[in-house]
Amino acid sequence: MHGGRAADEAALFWEDRYRRHGRLWKGTPNPLLAETAERLAPGRALDLGCGEGGDAAWLAARGWQVTAVDIAPAALELTAEHAARAGVADRVTTELHDLARGFPSGSFELVSAQYLQTPFDLPRERVLRRAAHALAPGGLLLVVEHGSRHPWSSVDPDTRFPTPEEIYAGIGLDPAGWTPERLDTPRREATGPGGRTAVVTDTVIAVRRAA
Ligand SMILES: C[S@@+](CC[C@H](N)C(=O)[O-])C[C@H]1O[C@@H](n2cnc3c(N)ncnc32)[C@H](O)[C@@H]1O
């Protein structure tokens, strides 16, 4: 359920977060996106839940034409600022969408959802199914989620994180049209408030649409 009131609360929550904290981005893209996109020829990219726009600006600097989507207008402003600062404003378009209720139009060689996680209801499987259908033939969907709880996180310590296989099965894609290329849970060192570090797990799902 993601009705009007809950949807408004979600938008206000994220808007407030970006307005209060401003720019936090450290200047590098999400590592699993960078590692994946480095091997791809640039084309049209869709960044779902773009946040401050670090990934969008990085992709655009590598020649991608990026559509960056978020529920929070303040996130889109930060994304546009990043793109302008990186000299790639002409390659980044921002679009305001609540992905629980709508989805951008278009067809993309890369659709990226990096930590598209929220304390509010988000019909993840439906969003990811639409993302897979938004791929151009031969295109790649890359989903990266937190697969463990950061020690400094407010997430319930009893949270069970779904496996990449469970998430992929839930998307419900026709095996004739889409192939999972990576279902994985790599570990990395994360840095939290005050420079504190911890080893955390990411959940990675990379899906290729048939050419
Ligand atoms: C955890 S942040 C990740 C941001 C960015 N992808 C990154 O890796 O830094 C989640 C992002 O998803 C956005 N978001 C949350 N719910 C959304 C929704 N229903 N529709 C669109 N964006 C949403 C938030 O505003 C936020 O920017």
Side-chain angles (χ1 to χ4, degrees):
M1 181 57 189
H2 198 84
R5 192 187 159 117
D8 292 345
E9 281 175 17
L12 285 172
F13 170 88
W14 286 104
E15 180 68 5
D16 180 57
R17 185 174 182 274
Y18 287 111
R19 290 259 174 246
R20 269 193 296 126
H21 296 302
R23 189 162 77 92
L24 295 171
W25 182 50
K26 56 194 179 308
T28 52
N30 278 306
L32 287 154
L33 170 71
E35 165 190 322
T36 305
E38 261 162 10
R39 298 193 296 265
L40 304 176
R44 295 159 295 175
L46 175 62
D47 186 0
L48 297 173
C50 62
E52 300 174 40
D55 289 348
W58 181 85
L59 284 166
R62 298 184 69 84
W64 291 82
Q65 188 68 46
V66 185
T67 301
V69 168
D70 207 280
I71 195 173
L76 298 181
E77 282 171 29
L78 289 167
T79 296
E81 282 169 19
H82 267 133
R85 212 175 303 116
V88 292
D90 56 332
R91 286 207 288 277
V92 176
T93 304
T94 58
E95 285 190 26
L96 185 67
H97 290 276
D98 176 353
L99 292 166
R101 301 200 277 188
F103 200 89
S105 59
S107 179
F108 305 89
E109 281 72 35
L110 174 66
V111 180
S112 171
Q114 302 291 310
Y115 309 103
L116 177 58
Q117 287 163 290
T118 172
F120 298 88
D121 284 348
L122 182 67
R124 183 220 273 128
E125 287 157 356
R126 192 176 81 212
V127 172
L128 296 183
R129 192 155 44 246
R130 291 195 72 171
H133 281 268
L135 289 172
L140 189 76
L141 167 64
L142 178 68
V143 181
V144 178
E145 297 194 351
H146 298 295
S148 68
R149 185 181 171 277
H150 296 54
W152 50 83
S153 150
S154 56
V155 170
D156 182 342
D158 294 330
T159 301
R160 180 190 171 272
F161 293 86
T163 67
E165 289 80 8
E166 287 168 342
I167 295 172
Y168 182 69
I171 306 175
L173 295 172
D174 178 352
W178 290 267
T179 308
E181 287 195 344
R182 183 174 181 186
L183 300 175
D184 197 8
T185 51
R187 288 160 73 76
R188 69 180 161 90
E189 187 171 82
T191 305
R196 195 175 157 196
T197 61
V199 175
V200 296
T201 301
D202 286 317
T203 300
V204 182
I205 297 127
V207 183
R208 178 83 59 186
R209 188 167 198 175

